[in-house]
Amino acid sequence: MRPVLTRGLTAAAAATLVSGLGVAVATSASAAAGCRVDYTANSWSTGFTGAVTVTNLGDPISGGWRVTWAFPGNQQITQGWSATISQSGQNVTATNPSWSTTIGTNASVNFGFNANYSGTNTNPASFSLNGTACTGGTTPTSPPPTTTPPPTTPPPTTPPPTTTPPPNGSKVDNPYAGAKGYVNPEWKAKAEAEPGGSRVSNNPTAVWLDRIAAIEGTDDSSSNGSMGVRDHLDAAVAQGAGYIQFVIYNLPGRDCAALASNGELGPNDLPRYKAEYIDPIAAIQADAKYKNLRIINIVEIDSLPNLVTNTSGQAGGTAMCDTMKANGGYVQGIGYALNKLGALSNTYNYVDAAHHGWIGWDSNFGPTADIMLQAAQASGSVNNVTGFITNTANYSALREPFVQPTTSVNGQSVRQSKWVDWNQYTDELSFAQAFRTKLVSIGFNSNIGMLIDTSRNGWGGSQRPTAASTSTNVDTFVNESRIDRRIHAGNWCNQSGAGLGERPTAAPATGIDAYVWVKPPGESDGSSSLIPNDEGKGFDRMCDPTYTGNARNGNSLSGALPNAPISGAWFSAQFRELMANAYPAL
């Protein structure tokens, strides 16, 4: 992960937070109408965030949509998103934004709002879509023509048939719950070849598909292994696994802010990405013999956050990130992947959402969530997103028990320290939970779950603090108290002193679907020096232990281990150190 440490909320950004309320008129198509509304309210003492999902159960709607309801109490909306929202007394009208004027049959739209209230925050009793009550069934918008007068006493009727296909087919809410994870036999063999490696070799790890050739598998690859997608799926079936994890990682202009994990596709190769990469993966995953496997796709590491933090005007801005933002390759590519890979009843998409040391500042937090929504909307529906993953292939500590944003030292907040640098978060769990709340508030489904990659964020061993520092200097206090022992939170490559973190676990905390090992421990982040290869992987100075840094890491030493191979290749010294510093200890 390539963080850019940017702080503060600009006046323009703050103004945006209170915009979006107004009046608009939507027209509806003359077609059978019927709808279902899912409404949630995340309340606190005087306010709440509302999330609304409207599913059209009738004929397609064109020309715009309008959702209306009445609050039963004194609720007053202050801010809305993904719809234009107006309120008169208790009556609320939400109309479509300009980019969302249609709702297909069984398709959904999502919008949200913030509101104030006092007393009891009771949910609305009913909703209407374009004037038709959303009862979960279908009703005609106008009566059919008739040649006889209607009867004075209506005959007994039965309710119209209800068409309620679940938006995610037969998907479960949490694919990790109650399921055995797939153990990659190639990674297992490498782990067990190391002294003591059998202590961790039976943990499930993800399979990285970082180039087109990885789909079929190669015998001459120096990284990731030789088995292809179908090989892994067959092996998962043979193991009796309940789920398998793939990392979808080959966007055009991939990883625009770094070199160690650049890819094979150029910035204008979106057609190749679709036809030669995503389509073949989707076709294999669709094979009926894998229908009982929960196939989890981790979608495009390091992509969308780069469009927020590493474009022009930012400390880490690059020309390639500017190009990918301008041509829409990341948003459209991820949208296509979500659409194709999310179409099956047994597939689950988790989109990469960086980590707290990258987007934990207000100036990055909201804009990153917004661009996640753009990519989901480009896929056709937010239902294509099961959740998000943070800390992928990174080292941010899961919990910082002694250094929290509310901690103060001699009258100074720890946020004022050089390490925290005004970040709103100091550990990954609190960040992931907060980011989930933000994502739901802007229109993602309320049941999305978060994953946290804990493969290398344990930071155990003799250097792990066991109590808070007694220093009255805020910088000294933070440096002596923090679990994360990196030189700088912006360091991301083969970090010295790191250890294995929490073992893969389902549903370990509120809003968290699982702790996972998506980055297989022992696979390098990048080479310490230039190593020619045919996998499109370059050399990044952040992987050089002698590098004294740049603006992205506060001009600090990189903290990288020496003698590392190219990204994805086995790095024995790193694996042994991760085991030695594991927390919980092995």
PDB file of all heavy atoms in Angstrom, residues 14-52:
ATOM      1  N   ALA A  14     -15.659  21.001   3.209  1.00  0.00           N
ATOM      2  CA  ALA A  14     -16.640  21.132   4.274  1.00  0.00           C
ATOM      3  C   ALA A  14     -17.965  21.632   3.737  1.00  0.00           C
ATOM      4  O   ALA A  14     -19.040  21.203   4.157  1.00  0.00           O
ATOM      5  CB  ALA A  14     -16.119  22.087   5.352  1.00  0.00           C
ATOM      6  N   ALA A  15     -17.916  22.559   2.762  1.00  0.00           N
ATOM      7  CA  ALA A  15     -19.153  23.060   2.180  1.00  0.00           C
ATOM      8  C   ALA A  15     -19.916  21.969   1.471  1.00  0.00           C
ATOM      9  O   ALA A  15     -21.150  21.919   1.486  1.00  0.00           O
ATOM     10  CB  ALA A  15     -18.845  24.199   1.212  1.00  0.00           C
ATOM     11  N   THR A  16     -19.186  21.059   0.836  1.00  0.00           N
ATOM     12  CA  THR A  16     -19.830  19.961   0.125  1.00  0.00           C
ATOM     13  C   THR A  16     -20.637  19.086   1.062  1.00  0.00           C
ATOM     14  O   THR A  16     -21.666  18.527   0.680  1.00  0.00           O
ATOM     15  CB  THR A  16     -18.763  19.104  -0.587  1.00  0.00           C
ATOM     16  OG1 THR A  16     -18.035  19.949  -1.470  1.00  0.00           O
ATOM     17  CG2 THR A  16     -19.398  17.985  -1.377  1.00  0.00           C
ATOM     18  N   LEU A  17     -20.232  18.976   2.299  1.00  0.00           N
ATOM     19  CA  LEU A  17     -20.894  18.080   3.237  1.00  0.00           C
ATOM     20  C   LEU A  17     -22.330  18.487   3.534  1.00  0.00           C
ATOM     21  O   LEU A  17     -23.141  17.665   3.934  1.00  0.00           O
ATOM     22  CB  LEU A  17     -20.109  18.021   4.552  1.00  0.00           C
ATOM     23  CG  LEU A  17     -18.729  17.383   4.472  1.00  0.00           C
ATOM     24  CD1 LEU A  17     -18.071  17.426   5.838  1.00  0.00           C
ATOM     25  CD2 LEU A  17     -18.801  15.961   3.963  1.00  0.00           C
ATOM     26  N   VAL A  18     -22.663  19.762   3.339  1.00  0.00           N
ATOM     27  CA  VAL A  18     -24.015  20.187   3.663  1.00  0.00           C
ATOM     28  C   VAL A  18     -24.822  20.523   2.423  1.00  0.00           C
ATOM     29  O   VAL A  18     -25.866  21.134   2.491  1.00  0.00           O
ATOM     30  CB  VAL A  18     -24.001  21.411   4.610  1.00  0.00           C
ATOM     31  CG1 VAL A  18     -23.410  21.032   5.941  1.00  0.00           C
ATOM     32  CG2 VAL A  18     -23.227  22.572   4.004  1.00  0.00           C
ATOM     33  N   SER A  19     -24.352  20.131   1.256  1.00  0.00           N
ATOM     34  CA  SER A  19     -25.097  20.371   0.032  1.00  0.00           C
ATOM     35  C   SER A  19     -25.893  19.142  -0.335  1.00  0.00           C
ATOM     36  O   SER A  19     -25.774  18.088   0.253  1.00  0.00           O
ATOM     37  CB  SER A  19     -24.140  20.737  -1.109  1.00  0.00           C
ATOM     38  OG  SER A  19     -23.350  19.627  -1.420  1.00  0.00           O
ATOM     39  N   GLY A  20     -26.726  19.253  -1.373  1.00  0.00           N
ATOM     40  CA  GLY A  20     -27.430  18.081  -1.887  1.00  0.00           C
ATOM     41  C   GLY A  20     -28.896  18.074  -1.566  1.00  0.00           C
ATOM     42  O   GLY A  20     -29.644  17.223  -2.040  1.00  0.00           O
ATOM     43  N   LEU A  21     -29.411  19.031  -0.762  1.00  0.00           N
ATOM     44  CA  LEU A  21     -30.834  19.093  -0.485  1.00  0.00           C
ATOM     45  C   LEU A  21     -31.474  20.054  -1.459  1.00  0.00           C
ATOM     46  O   LEU A  21     -30.991  21.139  -1.693  1.00  0.00           O
ATOM     47  CB  LEU A  21     -31.095  19.572   0.949  1.00  0.00           C
ATOM     48  CG  LEU A  21     -30.542  18.678   2.059  1.00  0.00           C
ATOM     49  CD1 LEU A  21     -30.880  19.263   3.415  1.00  0.00           C
ATOM     50  CD2 LEU A  21     -31.125  17.291   1.944  1.00  0.00           C
ATOM     51  N   GLY A  22     -32.580  19.656  -2.063  1.00  0.00           N
ATOM     52  CA  GLY A  22     -33.249  20.512  -3.025  1.00  0.00           C
ATOM     53  C   GLY A  22     -34.495  19.850  -3.535  1.00  0.00           C
ATOM     54  O   GLY A  22     -34.977  18.861  -2.996  1.00  0.00           O
ATOM     55  N   VAL A  23     -35.060  20.392  -4.605  1.00  0.00           N
ATOM     56  CA  VAL A  23     -36.284  19.863  -5.175  1.00  0.00           C
ATOM     57  C   VAL A  23     -36.042  19.522  -6.629  1.00  0.00           C
ATOM     58  O   VAL A  23     -35.431  20.283  -7.371  1.00  0.00           O
ATOM     59  CB  VAL A  23     -37.429  20.890  -5.068  1.00  0.00           C
ATOM     60  CG1 VAL A  23     -38.694  20.343  -5.689  1.00  0.00           C
ATOM     61  CG2 VAL A  23     -37.686  21.268  -3.621  1.00  0.00           C
ATOM     62  N   ALA A  24     -36.500  18.370  -7.057  1.00  0.00           N
ATOM     63  CA  ALA A  24     -36.413  17.969  -8.451  1.00  0.00           C
ATOM     64  C   ALA A  24     -37.663  17.181  -8.778  1.00  0.00           C
ATOM     65  O   ALA A  24     -38.319  16.626  -7.901  1.00  0.00           O
ATOM     66  CB  ALA A  24     -35.174  17.122  -8.712  1.00  0.00           C
ATOM     67  N   VAL A  25     -38.022  17.144 -10.042  1.00  0.00           N
ATOM     68  CA  VAL A  25     -39.220  16.436 -10.476  1.00  0.00           C
ATOM     69  C   VAL A  25     -38.815  15.260 -11.327  1.00  0.00           C
ATOM     70  O   VAL A  25     -37.989  15.379 -12.223  1.00  0.00           O
ATOM     71  CB  VAL A  25     -40.152  17.365 -11.277  1.00  0.00           C
ATOM     72  CG1 VAL A  25     -41.357  16.601 -11.773  1.00  0.00           C
ATOM     73  CG2 VAL A  25     -40.595  18.541 -10.413  1.00  0.00           C
ATOM     74  N   ALA A  26     -39.370  14.080 -11.039  1.00  0.00           N
ATOM     75  CA  ALA A  26     -39.077  12.883 -11.814  1.00  0.00           C
ATOM     76  C   ALA A  26     -40.349  12.435 -12.502  1.00  0.00           C
ATOM     77  O   ALA A  26     -41.446  12.551 -11.980  1.00  0.00           O
ATOM     78  CB  ALA A  26     -38.568  11.774 -10.901  1.00  0.00           C
ATOM     79  N   THR A  27     -40.198  11.915 -13.710  1.00  0.00           N
ATOM     80  CA  THR A  27     -41.327  11.359 -14.434  1.00  0.00           C
ATOM     81  C   THR A  27     -41.181   9.869 -14.488  1.00  0.00           C
ATOM     82  O   THR A  27     -40.076   9.346 -14.482  1.00  0.00           O
ATOM     83  CB  THR A  27     -41.385  11.909 -15.867  1.00  0.00           C
ATOM     84  OG1 THR A  27     -40.168  11.563 -16.526  1.00  0.00           O
ATOM     85  CG2 THR A  27     -41.549  13.423 -15.871  1.00  0.00           C
ATOM     86  N   SER A  28     -42.301   9.155 -14.522  1.00  0.00           N
ATOM     87  CA  SER A  28     -42.238   7.709 -14.535  1.00  0.00           C
ATOM     88  C   SER A  28     -42.776   7.173 -15.838  1.00  0.00           C
ATOM     89  O   SER A  28     -43.623   7.785 -16.476  1.00  0.00           O
ATOM     90  CB  SER A  28     -43.058   7.137 -13.369  1.00  0.00           C
ATOM     91  OG  SER A  28     -44.412   7.503 -13.518  1.00  0.00           O
ATOM     92  N   ALA A  29     -42.275   6.020 -16.233  1.00  0.00           N
ATOM     93  CA  ALA A  29     -42.772   5.379 -17.431  1.00  0.00           C
ATOM     94  C   ALA A  29     -44.139   4.782 -17.148  1.00  0.00           C
ATOM     95  O   ALA A  29     -44.479   4.445 -16.021  1.00  0.00           O
ATOM     96  CB  ALA A  29     -41.809   4.281 -17.874  1.00  0.00           C
ATOM     97  N   SER A  30     -44.981   4.669 -18.183  1.00  0.00           N
ATOM     98  CA  SER A  30     -46.289   4.037 -18.025  1.00  0.00           C
ATOM     99  C   SER A  30     -46.111   2.539 -18.076  1.00  0.00           C
ATOM    100  O   SER A  30     -46.159   1.940 -19.150  1.00  0.00           O
ATOM    101  CB  SER A  30     -47.232   4.526 -19.133  1.00  0.00           C
ATOM    102  OG  SER A  30     -47.422   5.924 -19.023  1.00  0.00           O
ATOM    103  N   ALA A  31     -45.855   1.957 -16.932  1.00  0.00           N
ATOM    104  CA  ALA A  31     -45.587   0.521 -16.870  1.00  0.00           C
ATOM    105  C   ALA A  31     -46.044   0.009 -15.522  1.00  0.00           C
ATOM    106  O   ALA A  31     -46.295   0.775 -14.599  1.00  0.00           O
ATOM    107  CB  ALA A  31     -44.098   0.239 -17.066  1.00  0.00           C
ATOM    108  N   ALA A  32     -46.195  -1.321 -15.438  1.00  0.00           N
ATOM    109  CA  ALA A  32     -46.563  -1.897 -14.153  1.00  0.00           C
ATOM    110  C   ALA A  32     -45.521  -1.536 -13.120  1.00  0.00           C
ATOM    111  O   ALA A  32     -44.329  -1.550 -13.396  1.00  0.00           O
ATOM    112  CB  ALA A  32     -46.676  -3.410 -14.283  1.00  0.00           C
ATOM    113  N   ALA A  33     -45.979  -1.159 -11.931  1.00  0.00           N
ATOM    114  CA  ALA A  33     -45.052  -0.710 -10.888  1.00  0.00           C
ATOM    115  C   ALA A  33     -45.228  -1.553  -9.641  1.00  0.00           C
ATOM    116  O   ALA A  33     -46.315  -2.012  -9.326  1.00  0.00           O
ATOM    117  CB  ALA A  33     -45.300   0.762 -10.561  1.00  0.00           C
ATOM    118  N   GLY A  34     -44.154  -1.725  -8.914  1.00  0.00           N
ATOM    119  CA  GLY A  34     -44.157  -2.442  -7.653  1.00  0.00           C
ATOM    120  C   GLY A  34     -42.772  -2.335  -7.083  1.00  0.00           C
ATOM    121  O   GLY A  34     -41.802  -2.183  -7.835  1.00  0.00           O
ATOM    122  N   CYS A  35     -42.640  -2.345  -5.797  1.00  0.00           N
ATOM    123  CA  CYS A  35     -41.321  -2.062  -5.253  1.00  0.00           C
ATOM    124  C   CYS A  35     -41.194  -2.606  -3.836  1.00  0.00           C
ATOM    125  O   CYS A  35     -42.181  -2.930  -3.175  1.00  0.00           O
ATOM    126  CB  CYS A  35     -41.047  -0.562  -5.256  1.00  0.00           C
ATOM    127  SG  CYS A  35     -42.392   0.439  -4.585  1.00  0.00           S
ATOM    128  N   ARG A  36     -39.944  -2.679  -3.403  1.00  0.00           N
ATOM    129  CA  ARG A  36     -39.605  -3.058  -2.041  1.00  0.00           C
ATOM    130  C   ARG A  36     -38.570  -2.064  -1.537  1.00  0.00           C
ATOM    131  O   ARG A  36     -37.645  -1.693  -2.281  1.00  0.00           O
ATOM    132  CB  ARG A  36     -39.034  -4.477  -2.000  1.00  0.00           C
ATOM    133  CG  ARG A  36     -38.667  -4.944  -0.592  1.00  0.00           C
ATOM    134  CD  ARG A  36     -38.116  -6.377  -0.584  1.00  0.00           C
ATOM    135  NE  ARG A  36     -36.834  -6.481  -1.250  1.00  0.00           N
ATOM    136  CZ  ARG A  36     -36.636  -7.120  -2.408  1.00  0.00           C
ATOM    137  NH1 ARG A  36     -37.653  -7.687  -3.033  1.00  0.00           N
ATOM    138  NH2 ARG A  36     -35.434  -7.183  -2.965  1.00  0.00           N
ATOM    139  N   VAL A  37     -38.704  -1.631  -0.319  1.00  0.00           N
ATOM    140  CA  VAL A  37     -37.763  -0.679   0.267  1.00  0.00           C
ATOM    141  C   VAL A  37     -37.120  -1.292   1.506  1.00  0.00           C
ATOM    142  O   VAL A  37     -37.813  -1.830   2.377  1.00  0.00           O
ATOM    143  CB  VAL A  37     -38.458   0.644   0.638  1.00  0.00           C
ATOM    144  CG1 VAL A  37     -37.523   1.523   1.474  1.00  0.00           C
ATOM    145  CG2 VAL A  37     -38.888   1.397  -0.611  1.00  0.00           C
ATOM    146  N   ASP A  38     -35.806  -1.224   1.561  1.00  0.00           N
ATOM    147  CA  ASP A  38     -35.047  -1.598   2.751  1.00  0.00           C
ATOM    148  C   ASP A  38     -34.499  -0.318   3.360  1.00  0.00           C
ATOM    149  O   ASP A  38     -33.764   0.428   2.709  1.00  0.00           O
ATOM    150  CB  ASP A  38     -33.906  -2.548   2.386  1.00  0.00           C
ATOM    151  CG  ASP A  38     -34.416  -3.860   1.808  1.00  0.00           C
ATOM    152  OD1 ASP A  38     -35.237  -4.498   2.475  1.00  0.00           O
ATOM    153  OD2 ASP A  38     -34.000  -4.222   0.697  1.00  0.00           O
ATOM    154  N   TYR A  39     -34.879  -0.052   4.604  1.00  0.00           N
ATOM    155  CA  TYR A  39     -34.529   1.199   5.270  1.00  0.00           C
ATOM    156  C   TYR A  39     -33.808   0.883   6.580  1.00  0.00           C
ATOM    157  O   TYR A  39     -34.279   0.065   7.373  1.00  0.00           O
ATOM    158  CB  TYR A  39     -35.807   1.990   5.563  1.00  0.00           C
ATOM    159  CG  TYR A  39     -35.613   3.256   6.374  1.00  0.00           C
ATOM    160  CD1 TYR A  39     -35.399   4.483   5.751  1.00  0.00           C
ATOM    161  CD2 TYR A  39     -35.673   3.235   7.772  1.00  0.00           C
ATOM    162  CE1 TYR A  39     -35.249   5.642   6.487  1.00  0.00           C
ATOM    163  CE2 TYR A  39     -35.514   4.393   8.513  1.00  0.00           C
ATOM    164  CZ  TYR A  39     -35.302   5.601   7.872  1.00  0.00           C
ATOM    165  OH  TYR A  39     -35.136   6.743   8.597  1.00  0.00           O
ATOM    166  N   THR A  40     -32.656   1.500   6.784  1.00  0.00           N
ATOM    167  CA  THR A  40     -31.940   1.342   8.043  1.00  0.00           C
ATOM    168  C   THR A  40     -31.566   2.706   8.592  1.00  0.00           C
ATOM    169  O   THR A  40     -31.341   3.658   7.835  1.00  0.00           O
ATOM    170  CB  THR A  40     -30.657   0.507   7.874  1.00  0.00           C
ATOM    171  OG1 THR A  40     -29.780   1.175   6.947  1.00  0.00           O
ATOM    172  CG2 THR A  40     -30.972  -0.886   7.367  1.00  0.00           C
ATOM    173  N   ALA A  41     -31.515   2.809   9.906  1.00  0.00           N
ATOM    174  CA  ALA A  41     -31.138   4.053  10.566  1.00  0.00           C
ATOM    175  C   ALA A  41     -30.097   3.754  11.633  1.00  0.00           C
ATOM    176  O   ALA A  41     -30.344   2.980  12.561  1.00  0.00           O
ATOM    177  CB  ALA A  41     -32.364   4.707  11.199  1.00  0.00           C
ATOM    178  N   ASN A  42     -28.922   4.310  11.450  1.00  0.00           N
ATOM    179  CA  ASN A  42     -27.837   4.164  12.425  1.00  0.00           C
ATOM    180  C   ASN A  42     -27.874   5.381  13.348  1.00  0.00           C
ATOM    181  O   ASN A  42     -27.396   6.453  13.002  1.00  0.00           O
ATOM    182  CB  ASN A  42     -26.509   4.054  11.691  1.00  0.00           C
ATOM    183  CG  ASN A  42     -25.341   3.879  12.632  1.00  0.00           C
ATOM    184  OD1 ASN A  42     -25.527   3.508  13.786  1.00  0.00           O
ATOM    185  ND2 ASN A  42     -24.141   4.164  12.161  1.00  0.00           N
ATOM    186  N   SER A  43     -28.473   5.228  14.529  1.00  0.00           N
ATOM    187  CA  SER A  43     -28.811   6.371  15.380  1.00  0.00           C
ATOM    188  C   SER A  43     -27.787   6.606  16.480  1.00  0.00           C
ATOM    189  O   SER A  43     -27.130   5.684  16.955  1.00  0.00           O
ATOM    190  CB  SER A  43     -30.191   6.156  16.013  1.00  0.00           C
ATOM    191  OG  SER A  43     -31.185   5.955  15.035  1.00  0.00           O
ATOM    192  N   TRP A  44     -27.684   7.864  16.881  1.00  0.00           N
ATOM    193  CA  TRP A  44     -27.019   8.226  18.115  1.00  0.00           C
ATOM    194  C   TRP A  44     -27.967   9.160  18.882  1.00  0.00           C
ATOM    195  O   TRP A  44     -29.170   9.221  18.554  1.00  0.00           O
ATOM    196  CB  TRP A  44     -25.650   8.855  17.858  1.00  0.00           C
ATOM    197  CG  TRP A  44     -25.645  10.035  16.941  1.00  0.00           C
ATOM    198  CD1 TRP A  44     -25.704  11.345  17.270  1.00  0.00           C
ATOM    199  CD2 TRP A  44     -25.559   9.995  15.499  1.00  0.00           C
ATOM    200  NE1 TRP A  44     -25.663  12.122  16.147  1.00  0.00           N
ATOM    201  CE2 TRP A  44     -25.565  11.333  15.050  1.00  0.00           C
ATOM    202  CE3 TRP A  44     -25.468   8.964  14.567  1.00  0.00           C
ATOM    203  CZ2 TRP A  44     -25.498  11.669  13.694  1.00  0.00           C
ATOM    204  CZ3 TRP A  44     -25.402   9.287  13.219  1.00  0.00           C
ATOM    205  CH2 TRP A  44     -25.414  10.620  12.790  1.00  0.00           C
ATOM    206  N   SER A  45     -27.501   9.886  19.872  1.00  0.00           N
ATOM    207  CA  SER A  45     -28.409  10.562  20.805  1.00  0.00           C
ATOM    208  C   SER A  45     -29.312  11.587  20.143  1.00  0.00           C
ATOM    209  O   SER A  45     -30.501  11.691  20.468  1.00  0.00           O
ATOM    210  CB  SER A  45     -27.602  11.228  21.925  1.00  0.00           C
ATOM    211  OG  SER A  45     -26.672  12.148  21.382  1.00  0.00           O
ATOM    212  N   THR A  46     -28.786  12.363  19.196  1.00  0.00           N
ATOM    213  CA  THR A  46     -29.589  13.435  18.591  1.00  0.00           C
ATOM    214  C   THR A  46     -29.623  13.373  17.074  1.00  0.00           C
ATOM    215  O   THR A  46     -30.139  14.282  16.435  1.00  0.00           O
ATOM    216  CB  THR A  46     -29.049  14.814  19.008  1.00  0.00           C
ATOM    217  OG1 THR A  46     -27.686  14.944  18.566  1.00  0.00           O
ATOM    218  CG2 THR A  46     -29.132  14.997  20.515  1.00  0.00           C
ATOM    219  N   GLY A  47     -29.051  12.354  16.494  1.00  0.00           N
ATOM    220  CA  GLY A  47     -29.017  12.288  15.041  1.00  0.00           C
ATOM    221  C   GLY A  47     -28.898  10.862  14.550  1.00  0.00           C
ATOM    222  O   GLY A  47     -28.775   9.918  15.337  1.00  0.00           O
ATOM    223  N   PHE A  48     -28.951  10.710  13.241  1.00  0.00           N
ATOM    224  CA  PHE A  48     -28.817   9.378  12.667  1.00  0.00           C
ATOM    225  C   PHE A  48     -28.454   9.485  11.191  1.00  0.00           C
ATOM    226  O   PHE A  48     -28.624  10.534  10.559  1.00  0.00           O
ATOM    227  CB  PHE A  48     -30.104   8.562  12.835  1.00  0.00           C
ATOM    228  CG  PHE A  48     -31.290   9.033  12.031  1.00  0.00           C
ATOM    229  CD1 PHE A  48     -31.647   8.413  10.837  1.00  0.00           C
ATOM    230  CD2 PHE A  48     -32.062  10.090  12.474  1.00  0.00           C
ATOM    231  CE1 PHE A  48     -32.744   8.843  10.112  1.00  0.00           C
ATOM    232  CE2 PHE A  48     -33.173  10.524  11.755  1.00  0.00           C
ATOM    233  CZ  PHE A  48     -33.516   9.902  10.561  1.00  0.00           C
ATOM    234  N   THR A  49     -27.915   8.364  10.664  1.00  0.00           N
ATOM    235  CA  THR A  49     -27.667   8.217   9.241  1.00  0.00           C
ATOM    236  C   THR A  49     -28.657   7.206   8.693  1.00  0.00           C
ATOM    237  O   THR A  49     -28.758   6.086   9.198  1.00  0.00           O
ATOM    238  CB  THR A  49     -26.231   7.730   8.989  1.00  0.00           C
ATOM    239  OG1 THR A  49     -25.317   8.734   9.440  1.00  0.00           O
ATOM    240  CG2 THR A  49     -26.007   7.489   7.500  1.00  0.00           C
ATOM    241  N   GLY A  50     -29.408   7.607   7.692  1.00  0.00           N
ATOM    242  CA  GLY A  50     -30.380   6.721   7.065  1.00  0.00           C
ATOM    243  C   GLY A  50     -29.858   6.185   5.754  1.00  0.00           C
ATOM    244  O   GLY A  50     -29.185   6.899   5.001  1.00  0.00           O
ATOM    245  N   ALA A  51     -30.117   4.913   5.474  1.00  0.00           N
ATOM    246  CA  ALA A  51     -29.746   4.286   4.205  1.00  0.00           C
ATOM    247  C   ALA A  51     -30.997   3.661   3.603  1.00  0.00           C
ATOM    248  O   ALA A  51     -31.721   2.928   4.289  1.00  0.00           O
ATOM    249  CB  ALA A  51     -28.666   3.232   4.415  1.00  0.00           C
ATOM    250  N   VAL A  52     -31.264   3.960   2.336  1.00  0.00           N
ATOM    251  CA  VAL A  52     -32.473   3.493   1.670  1.00  0.00           C
ATOM    252  C   VAL A  52     -32.087   2.733   0.407  1.00  0.00           C
ATOM    253  O   VAL A  52     -31.334   3.247  -0.423  1.00  0.00           O
ATOM    254  CB  VAL A  52     -33.402   4.663   1.300  1.00  0.00           C
ATOM    255  CG1 VAL A  52     -34.699   4.150   0.673  1.00  0.00           C
ATOM    256  CG2 VAL A  52     -33.702   5.522   2.516  1.00  0.00           C
TER     257      VAL A  52
END
